Amino acid sequence: MPVKSVPIQHTSVHFRLLQQYLFLLKRYPIITKSVTSGILTALGNLLSQNLEARKKAGAIDGTGVARYAVYGLFITGPVSHCFYQLMEALIPTTDPHCIIKRLLLDRLIFAPGFLLIFYFVMNILEFKGWEEFEKKLKGSFWTALKMNWKVWTPFQFVNINFVPVQFRVLFANIVALFWYAYLASVRK
């Protein structure tokens, strides 16, 4: 008696979501990373607002969540994707000092530049002028950069040296969920 092959129809939702994500990541890498970044960045802002709401009574600012979603969608996703691809080309794993070089490139060049872009884009999305931008930079940029170096260095060490390149933006976005909650509160 021949045995029929029957497709598995009762797979878990998590497994199907993962399969769909992997398919989209392979087919549309930048768009997939950008949408994921937009969602997780917005969630980071929402997390920050929820933490602050516990301290004081206040409603959720939907425009703040939208600003962070736009930033993640149009800046974090594509810029991070390009940076990790460029890093692979500039500092291949065959380089004997690639672990240190990658970390230094990320921490000393990318981190300050990316944080500066964050401040600049958020200032634009908040419809604020140049004076306000300078004030925010002077008031919290150095503090945020030092915190970035403290918080992100171990995560980025793992990310840029051990996480496959196609998953680096996702890995960073998951960590960034909490980082954007911090930035939302420190920029105020």
Side-chain angles (χ1 to χ4, degrees):
M1 171 183 247
V3 178
K4 274 172 66 174
S5 180
V6 180
I8 300 173
Q9 295 179 359
H10 300 290
T11 58
S12 72
V13 173
H14 297 92
F15 183 73
R16 282 183 276 149
L17 284 173
L18 177 61
Q19 279 184 316
Q20 187 64 33
Y21 179 78
L22 293 174
F23 170 77
L24 292 171
L25 188 61
K26 187 172 185 166
R27 184 107 190 231
Y28 311 103
I30 296 175
I31 292 171
T32 303
K33 292 172 187 178
S34 295
V35 169
T36 305
S37 294
I39 292 167
L40 291 174
T41 303
L43 286 175
N45 181 266
L46 196 57
L47 176 65
S48 170
Q49 289 188 45
N50 279 327
L51 293 173
E52 287 181 25
R54 288 183 183 173
K55 295 177 190 173
K56 56 185 179 194
I60 298 297
D61 173 20
T63 59
V65 174
R67 278 192 296 272
Y68 276 76
V70 166
Y71 180 78
L73 180 66
F74 294 106
I75 305 295
T76 302
V79 170
S80 297
H81 169 82
C82 292
F83 174 71
Y84 292 132
Q85 296 295 324
L86 181 63
M87 182 185 286
E88 285 296 306
L90 292 176
I91 310 169
T93 56
T94 55
D95 185 314
H97 303 291
C98 75
I99 290 176
I100 298 301
K101 287 179 181 179
R102 286 178 174 196
L103 191 62
L104 290 174
L105 176 65
D106 180 74
R107 303 289 66 221
L108 299 178
I109 305 298
F110 187 71
F114 198 69
L115 187 60
L116 183 63
I117 290 169
F118 173 80
Y119 273 75
F120 183 71
V121 171
M122 282 300 163
N123 197 65
I124 290 170
L125 293 174
E126 292 169 347
F127 302 106
K128 295 188 176 169
W130 187 257
E131 295 80 23
E132 187 66 28
F133 174 66
E134 287 178 331
K135 182 180 171 188
K136 294 250 176 153
L137 278 181
K138 289 176 185 172
S140 65
F141 181 81
W142 180 240
T143 302
L145 182 59
K146 288 188 296 186
M147 184 60 78
N148 179 297
W149 286 336
K150 289 177 189 175
V151 170
W152 277 95
T153 299
F155 291 111
Q156 281 301 85
F157 176 79
V158 170
N159 194 19
I160 61 182
N161 291 301
F162 303 108
V163 173
V165 70
Q166 70 268 26
F167 298 119
R168 289 182 189 160
V169 176
L170 178 62
F171 180 87
N173 280 328
I174 291 168
V175 175
L177 180 68
F178 302 101
W179 175 248
Y180 285 120
Y182 165 76
L183 281 182
S185 61
V186 77
R187 282 188 71 249
K188 292 186 177 183

